[in-house]
Amino acid sequence: MNLRADFHKKLGDFNLDVRLEAGEEITSILGASGCGKSMTLKCIAGIEKPDRGYIELNGRVLFDSERKIDLPPQKRGVGYLFQNYALFPDMTVRKNILCGAKGSGSRMEKEEKLRRMLHLFRLEGLEDHKPSQLSGGQQQRTALARIMISEPELLLLDEPFSALDAHLRDALKIEVKELLRGYGKTVLMVTHSRDEAYNMSDRVGVMHDGTLLAVRPVKELFADPGTVQAAVITGCKNIANAKWAGPHEALVPEWGITLQTAQELRRDLTAVGIRAHYFRPGGTQNAFPVVFAGEMEEPFEMIQQFRYVGQAEGSANIWWRLAKEKRPQQFPATIGIAPVNVLPLYEAQPADAVFPHGTESEEGR
Amino acid sequence: MDWYPLYNSLRIAAISCVLVFFTGIFFAYYASRLPRLVKGILDVVLTLPMVLPPTVCGYFLLLVFGMRRPVGAFLAQHGIRFVMTWYGGILAASVVAFPLMYRTARGAFESFDETLAYAGQTLGLSNTYIFWRIRMPACRQGILAGTVLAFARALGEYGATSMLIGYTPGRTATISTTVYQLWRINDEAGAMFWVLVNLAISTVVLLTVNMLETRQKHMR
């Protein structure tokens, strides 16, 4: 792995615990705002200092609290794309980008690199513009060009699309993803948007309250979030506490039902989740009588809310999301769910140690 | 016509302004990054000269730099005396003008977007480069305002100056002490002349600042 990080930082009563490995791919940290995502990036970049731990990039030690190693950001070879892009307001696009090429070769070489960046990021003709004269997308490309010209070994992206208008965002996501693929280095992105995480990354780790949970392949995480925290952040609408009732049976007292699951359940089952898209009206598996509770129209979909007959008072309505044209004329009397779509959820475990205790030596790195 | 007060006032104000520019920025920069409690205490100490009557500042300066005080006596042995010399005026004007520079610069530094500095660091720029080429230009409005205020204050300084360097025509006289002396001996015409000189300088300074500010707005 190119990046290995294992560190801890205490901020008031907030504890940041990060164990992370990332290779030449796009890895995302997905979490709600204020969960410690940005702080994680700042620690890796050297802007903030962890209380203890170890950070290594391509075999170089960036931070080691035991050996008192703490490289300044200038020496880490880490590119950082800030949420607001942090372009220098008093410099032109050209000067901004050249800032990333300080002390790397002759004037001629720098000009050549600059020309390549302007071309790659489609900034030709904007060289003499100030950042305030650029659109959001152009600002983002300038910031990326400025980072890329410095040839970082690791690229950190902090909510790269949140400052853009919604209609620009999707087009830019595709564009940036292509650019990053061509770059072929390690990319670590943080985001609060499950769509962005899904669109952009190869692997995703969910961060909750300062603790980074296991980093997993993106499709696997969305198909089987495994913890309540991951289920919530990946957009699972229906989550209820559950108890083990058999190898494939989960008792859900809140909903007053027992669900069959395809996955074999562990005895420490704490909850189940059902994504709003997967309900089937009148199905035969896991079908239970329901009553209509409300509906809301979206541009292309319908949200229908219902409650199981026998569902506990005060518990949240169940969300069912379906295409508009599939909306039933009459609300079904029973609604089913395929056992494969019942997601078993367990207690969150922090990621496995990146460096097993006591063997933190040079060998094996 | 004796132009000495004009010459003396201008050089005292100019030199104090340069001194205060650097010291003010230095303290403002470090104060803006200190923990809150320390900053609060430092802030009071550094701002006191602004709220104290200038004569009280002058009194304190005499307590330290007076010829019979340890510091003053020590400096005098090395040929430096701030009492009754023209360059004592620099000391008096600097002390009084310092808080204006310090406070405006600190305000500017505190509103600086720190991610710009972080971005510079991750791009490999030295901290010195970041300070002079990124932080200072971004804060130039506040710093320029502070410099002008400090210059104007230094130019018009009377209280602490008269306490420390008195009024000796051709040696320590400044515009403001001259106005007072001429008025005291009933030379109203002379006093009026220096009042007009002072007005002219202040107007020119303010006009220059306004012009600089509008030009910057157009350049953006």
Side-chain angles (χ1 to χ4, degrees), chain A residues 47 74 84 87-88 90 146, chain B residues 113 116 118 125 127 140:
Chain A
I47 296 165
Q74 284 94 337
N84 63 358
L87 293 173
F88 306 138
D90 298 299
R146 184 176 72 174
Chain B
D113 175 10
L116 295 181
Y118 298 150
L125 301 176
N127 289 333
R140 69 174 163 246

Side-chain angles (χ1 to χ4, degrees), chain B residues 164-185:
Chain B
L164 192 63
I165 67 172
Y167 171 79
T168 317
R171 279 187 47 216
T172 65
T174 65
I175 296 176
S176 44
T177 51
T178 304
V179 168
Y180 176 69
Q181 286 300 327
L182 293 181
W183 176 81
R184 210 172 59 105
I185 59 170

Side-chain angles (χ1 to χ4, degrees), chain B residues 98-110:
Chain B
F98 172 84
L100 290 164
M101 184 70 207
Y102 161 74
R103 285 196 83 89
T104 24
R106 204 199 71 197
F109 284 144
E110 277 173 356

Side-chain angles (χ1 to χ4, degrees), chain A residues 45 47 73-74 78 80 82 84 86-91 99-100 102 146-147, chain B residues 113 115-116 118-125 127 129 133-134 137-138 140 220:
Chain A
I47 296 165
Q74 284 94 337
V78 172
Y80 198 133
F82 288 87
N84 63 358
L87 293 173
F88 306 138
D90 298 299
M91 297 186 193
C99 270
K102 287 255 172 247
R146 184 176 72 174
I147 292 166
Chain B
D113 175 10
T115 56
L116 295 181
Y118 298 150
Q121 289 182 326
T122 55
L123 289 167
L125 301 176
N127 289 333
Y129 184 95
R133 299 297 184 81
I134 296 166
R140 69 174 163 246
R220 291 217 149 197

